[in-house]
Amino acid sequence: MPSRLPVSLSRVGLRGLGSIRTLTTTPTRQNTGVPPHPPPQQPSGYKEGMSRYKLFASPFAKVFLGAVFTYQVIYWTWVKLEMEETKEGRNKEVAALEKEAREVTGKK
């Protein structure tokens, strides 16, 4: 039994199969990740202005972090001293109340 070709192939004929064009007619290019012609680099006004201040970024960061550290140490010391003062005041008040309670009850 002869095999039947689809109607579209039977119209082309067997000698016409070699002349069928594919979708890509140009050879494939390998993507290297680098454009063939990079655009010329022109310094923009923003980058040019910021390049002046990049020199000061590291010293500024050091001074800023040093100031934050110093502030935290001083704040912690202040809170500790204030807590000791408050505790001392409460202890004096408790001692005075205990003395008064002993006098009221008549015990020594």
Side-chain angles (χ1 to χ4, degrees):
M1 203 154 88
S3 63
R4 296 194 68 180
L5 295 174
V7 176
S8 61
L9 286 180
S10 65
R11 286 186 192 155
V12 172
L14 292 178
R15 66 188 152 111
L17 284 177
S19 65
I20 295 177
R21 299 185 75 177
T22 60
L23 293 177
T24 58
T25 57
T26 59
T28 58
R29 297 180 189 174
Q30 294 199 2
N31 187 4
T32 59
V34 178
H37 301 289
Q41 296 290 331
Q42 296 177 354
S44 67
Y46 176 76
K47 286 185 179 179
E48 190 176 301
M50 285 304 293
S51 67
R52 292 186 207 145
Y53 296 106
K54 281 190 177 184
L55 297 172
F56 300 107
S58 179
F60 179 78
K62 289 178 185 176
V63 169
F64 180 75
L65 291 175
V68 169
F69 176 74
T70 304
Y71 173 79
Q72 290 297 320
V73 168
I74 291 172
Y75 178 77
W76 178 78
T77 305
W78 181 274
V79 167
K80 184 171 173 84
L81 290 173
E82 192 172 346
M83 286 176 62
E84 287 177 5
E85 184 181 345
T86 305
K87 186 187 280 188
E88 186 179 330
R90 285 183 185 164
N91 286 341
K92 285 181 182 178
E93 185 179 347
V94 167
L97 289 173
E98 285 177 351
K99 184 179 178 184
E100 185 180 334
R102 284 190 193 125
E103 288 175 359
V104 169
T105 57
K107 295 184 179 178
K108 281 191 175 181

